[in-house]
Every structure is written in C-alpha cells, then in structure tokens.
Amino acid sequence: MTEGQNWGAADVVVLGAGPAGLVLGNLLQDSGVDCVILERAEEERVRTRARAGFLAAHTARILERHGLDEGLRLRGREHGVCEFRTEDGRFRLDYGGLGRGERHTVYPQQDLVSDLLTRFLDRGGRLRFGTEAVAVLDADTGRPSVAVRAADGRTGRFRARYVAGCDGRHGAARRSLPEGAVRRYPCDHGVTWLGLLAEAPPSMDAVGYAVHERGFAGHMARSGTITRYYLQCERGTPAGAWSQERIWDELDLRMGAKEHGPLERGRLVQRGVVDLTSDVLEPLRHGALFLVGDAAGLISPSAAKGANLAVLEAEALAEGLIAELLHGDPDGLDSYSARCLPRIWRAQEFSHWMIGLLHGPSGRDGASPFHHALWRARLDSLRTSRSRQDWFAEHYVGV
Ligand code: APR
C-alpha cells in the first residue's frame, strides 16, 4: 500500500461511531485522552439508522456512571414483562420482578447514538464523518496507522498509538487481522428473520414471542408509535418478497390474534432480512488494535444483547486505555480480552438457548418428535418453575 498523505494523528484512533465507538470516544475525551473517531457514514445517517432498542440494567448503570444517560433517563421507558404464545396457549413472565429484579430500558438505539454524538461534538470531540477506514496497518509494530478514504475518493493516513476497532462486522478492523492472529468461532443458527419496523403503536404491553409451527414471530415496542416485529422466513427470502398485507396476516396467524386480540396494523417503514449467525473472536486484540462491539463478536438478535455487550466492552477498553496513556499502567489493556470474553460467551450461551426456545417446531430439529417434546418440556419448565424463571430473568436482562 502507498504511504498516503498524513491526515493527522491521535493517541487513540477509534473506527466507527456506533454505540461502541461513541461510548469509548466520550469516556476517552472526558479523561483528556487524545482521540479521533473516523466514521464512514455521513452524520444524518448515523443519527437516524434504526437498530436495536433494549438496554439492559447493567448498560443503563454504565451510561449513568459516566453521565451519558440524560436522554435515556428522560425518554427511555422501563420494561419488565414478556409473553410467550404457543400452540398450548400463552403465559407471561414478569421478569422485572424475578431474578435480580432488573428491567430493560426501551430506548431506540439511534436516539442513544444521537445523544452520544451530540455530547461528544459539543465537548469539542474530533470526529470525521464520510471517512472510511480502509485498513489498520502495522498494528504489531508499535507504530500503527489507519489508511482512510474520504467520500470524494481522496486517501490518506492517521497515525495512532492505539486503534479501537468499533467499526462493526464488515469493518476495517476485522479485515486487517493477519491470518492466524486471532481465532474466530463462527456459528450459523440456521434460522432467518424478516425484521420489520411498523408505524403502529405496540399491540401489547409486553415483549411478545410467538412460537408457531409456521415459524417464530416477535413483537417489541419501540415507542408509542413505532413497533418492531420479526417473522421467521425461509433462508434466502428477499426482504421485499412479502406484501404488507401478507406480513400482517402472517403475524396475526402466528401471534394468535384470533385468540389473544388483534395486532395494531400500520405502514411497514423498514424491513430487512437477518440470518441468525454469531461469532466470537479471541483474543480481542492484535498488538495495538483492539476489537469492540460487533467487530469483537456478532450475537444473534434473539436476546437483544449486541448493543449491551458493545457498551460493556467500550467501558472496559476505555479504562485500559486511560490507565495506560495517562498513568503508564498497561494492566487494563493486557487484561481487556480476558475480562470481556467470559461475559461475551455467557451472552452467547443465553442467546443460543433463546434461539432453541423460539424456534422449537420451526428450527433445524423441528421435524423430530423427540426434539419437539424436548422443546415443550423447556417451555413448560419456564412456565412453571420459579427457579427456572429466576435464571431466565437474570440472563435475559443481564450482560
Ligand atoms: N470505517 C469507518 N467507519 C466504519 C467502517 C469503516 N471501514 N465500517 C463501518 N463503519 C461504521 C458504521 O457506519 C457504523 O456507524 O462503524 C459503525 C459501527 O456501528 P455498529 O454497527 O452500530 O456497531 P457497534 O458500535 O459495535 O454496536 C453494536 O449495536 O445495533 C447493534 O447490531 C448492533 O448489536 C450491535 C451493536
């Protein structure tokens, strides 16, 4: 690769302005660490991209601890009930009153991102939109740099002491890892969801999980006027394959609208197809390059853990970088990976368990009578066993 024009330098170059990059950027900046965030997209897109929306109690505490929770406190809504609907009827779990008694805060991820962005910029943070990281270079030499390309095609370099790869699943951080430097543990869960955003009020006061022989259907409130729905579909289904009417009819059918009440219909304003896959990278570091959020590992959306892990990792990395850069203490950086990985694997384990629960009759083993019976037993113990419910609540809200 050519040398490229020098576009600047920072002690920490952060790739990506998602939840991971922006939590990290704010914490570094608050401590006086010299950093710059490079973001491929333009500002408008970063602020409006609809993604997840369920924040765990632990995430809310991290944001509160660092004064990053103002919007969340003002506009987030506490949530603590989920409802399962199956061929045997429905049951609710008041998970906010089980386990550790913790709840979710429902707050659209684009609002959190927008809050974090405003705060970072208002405090004089350096952030370059429309600047794509192409590659992280020399991460193992002590003189790393990031090759970048602007939207108009100009190219250049940023020099760094450390690079934080917060640029998601298809970012430059992952691409720049040399063969064999980091081990990847991939998993394809064999299930595909059509993710939908409806301009419609929630249809129930709970997260709804319908497990149906035609496939899973999910309902998650986002706000008083926007609701997220999921519909399991065949792998390879194009996002636009189903008409709006067919989607609502299918949601009605799988969620048992006849028995349990109709769904509030509205215009479907966004749709996308997600193959449920996961992976974990180990370790979360290659020399001066650290992996955070989706760049560190993908987690299926079945238990809404992705953004929560991203925030947890960003805080851990910020602590390590601050200790090293301001106090010359490398321990936090050296232990970053070992500190995060057990939490990541526990979240993966729970998400994997949820996938089994939500796709019993329609998943990979759905046709096997033995697995069908096992799945019913699993649901039954969740419905009737208090200790099972406490376990569920602890893992469902926790990270
Ligand atoms: N250079 C610069 N920026 C990049 C590059 C690149 N090469 N590639 C991606 N980006 C930017 C994206 O535009 C995005 O703004 O990096 C950011 C990554 O943000 P997220 O995908 O939200 O990832 P992360 O911050 O790790 O948050 C993870 O949020 O919605 C969930 O599914 C998501 O659960 C995951 C969590």
Side-chain angles (χ1 to χ4, degrees):
M1 180 159 308
T2 56
E3 249 305 288
Q5 202 187 347
N6 184 11
W7 282 17
D11 282 343
V12 183
V13 174
V14 179
L15 312 184
L22 286 166
V23 166
L24 179 62
N26 272 285
L27 298 189
L28 294 177
Q29 176 166 272
D30 287 353
S31 298
V33 169
D34 170 40
C35 68
V36 61
I37 302 179
L38 309 179
E39 166 58 52
R40 181 179 57 188
E42 296 300 340
E43 180 168 357
E44 169 71 12
R45 168 130 180 81
V46 174
R47 286 189 189 270
T48 54
R49 198 167 31 188
R51 306 281 291 272
F54 268 64
L55 297 178
H58 187 268
T59 308
R61 282 195 294 273
I62 293 179
L63 297 171
E64 182 189 359
R65 183 149 68 227
H66 301 291
L68 304 176
D69 67 333
E70 198 185 328
L72 194 73
R73 256 188 297 115
L74 291 173
R75 295 183 296 279
R77 288 175 305 113
E78 290 228 321
H79 195 285
V81 185
C82 60
E83 180 172 310
F84 293 90
R85 296 182 175 184
T86 73
E87 60 201 21
D88 299 323
R90 63 175 167 174
F91 66 92
R92 287 162 82 89
L93 285 185
D94 178 3
Y95 63 83
L98 293 161
R100 297 187 179 155
E102 294 185 331
R103 292 162 181 276
H104 283 113
T105 305
V106 181
Y107 192 56
Q109 186 172 313
Q110 69 269 29
D111 294 358
L112 176 67
V113 162
S114 202
D115 294 349
L116 294 168
L117 194 55
T118 300
R119 187 180 183 280
F120 184 73
L121 296 174
D122 283 355
R123 295 177 175 219
R126 283 201 285 157
L127 197 158
R128 293 182 64 130
F129 292 105
T131 304
E132 180 183 5
V134 179
V136 180
L137 306 167
D138 304 321
D140 52 354
T141 65
R143 294 189 63 227
S145 64
V146 180
V148 296
R149 181 168 50 218
D152 62 8
R154 284 177 308 123
T155 59
R157 284 248 197 142
F158 277 87
R159 307 209 170 274
R161 285 173 71 183
Y162 294 102
V163 178
C166 306
D167 51 348
R169 60 179 68 191
H170 303 299
R174 276 191 175 216
R175 275 200 314 269
S176 304
L177 294 167
E179 187 72 32
V182 165
R183 185 157 175 206
R184 178 165 172 255
Y185 297 79
C187 175
D188 182 342
H189 305 283
V191 173
T192 300
W193 286 1
L194 182 58
L196 304 154
L197 215 52
E199 251 176 11
S203 298
M204 55 172 134
D205 60 350
V207 175
Y209 296 116
V211 192
H212 195 276
E213 59 186 13
R214 291 173 68 94
F216 164 73
H219 161 284
M220 279 139 227
R222 276 290 175 274
S223 70
T225 52
I226 299 282
T227 307
R228 187 172 261 300
Y229 285 94
Y230 289 108
L231 263 184
Q232 185 186 349
C233 58
E234 291 283 327
R235 177 77 40 111
T237 305
W242 296 15
S243 69
Q244 300 226 4
E245 198 184 356
R246 176 165 174 215
I247 288 172
W248 284 113
D249 289 348
E250 194 67 29
L251 283 167
D252 269 348
L253 181 72
R254 296 188 194 178
M255 301 213 60
K258 266 203 196 117
E259 304 88 318
H260 309 306
L263 302 177
E264 298 271 3
R265 293 191 175 198
R267 201 161 61 94
L268 299 172
V269 288
Q270 199 197 71
R271 46 169 99 188
V273 172
V274 207
D275 292 334
L276 269 59
T277 57
S278 300
D279 69 7
V280 177
L281 269 54
E282 283 200 28
L284 304 177
R285 172 180 193 174
H286 171 60
L289 169 62
F290 291 84
L291 304 169
V292 193
D294 275 10
L298 298 176
I299 187 156
S300 84
S302 57
K305 298 276 183 226
N308 295 292
L309 285 173
V311 171
L312 179 133
E313 292 153 21
E315 185 195 42
L317 182 59
E319 287 171 4
L321 287 166
I322 292 164
E324 153 67 2
L325 288 165
L326 300 186
H327 311 293
D329 172 3
D331 288 357
L333 283 187
D334 290 344
S335 61
Y336 166 70
S337 191
R339 202 175 143 190
C340 293
L341 281 166
R343 312 285 284 266
I344 292 173
W345 279 115
R346 281 186 69 172
Q348 290 283 3
E349 192 275 326
F350 183 74
S351 286
H352 192 256
W353 180 90
M354 275 292 277
I355 289 170
L357 187 76
L358 300 180
H359 302 89
S362 61
R364 248 195 293 246
D365 299 321
S368 145
F370 180 84
H371 284 96
H372 194 93
L374 278 189
W375 163 77
R376 288 180 94 158
R378 187 183 276 196
L379 262 173
D380 197 45
S381 77
L382 189 60
R383 188 171 57 78
T384 56
S385 155
R386 172 67 201 240
S387 60
R388 191 63 160 164
Q389 294 170 355
D390 284 330
W391 172 86
F392 173 83
E394 183 182 332
H395 289 81
Y396 186 58
V397 195
V399 266

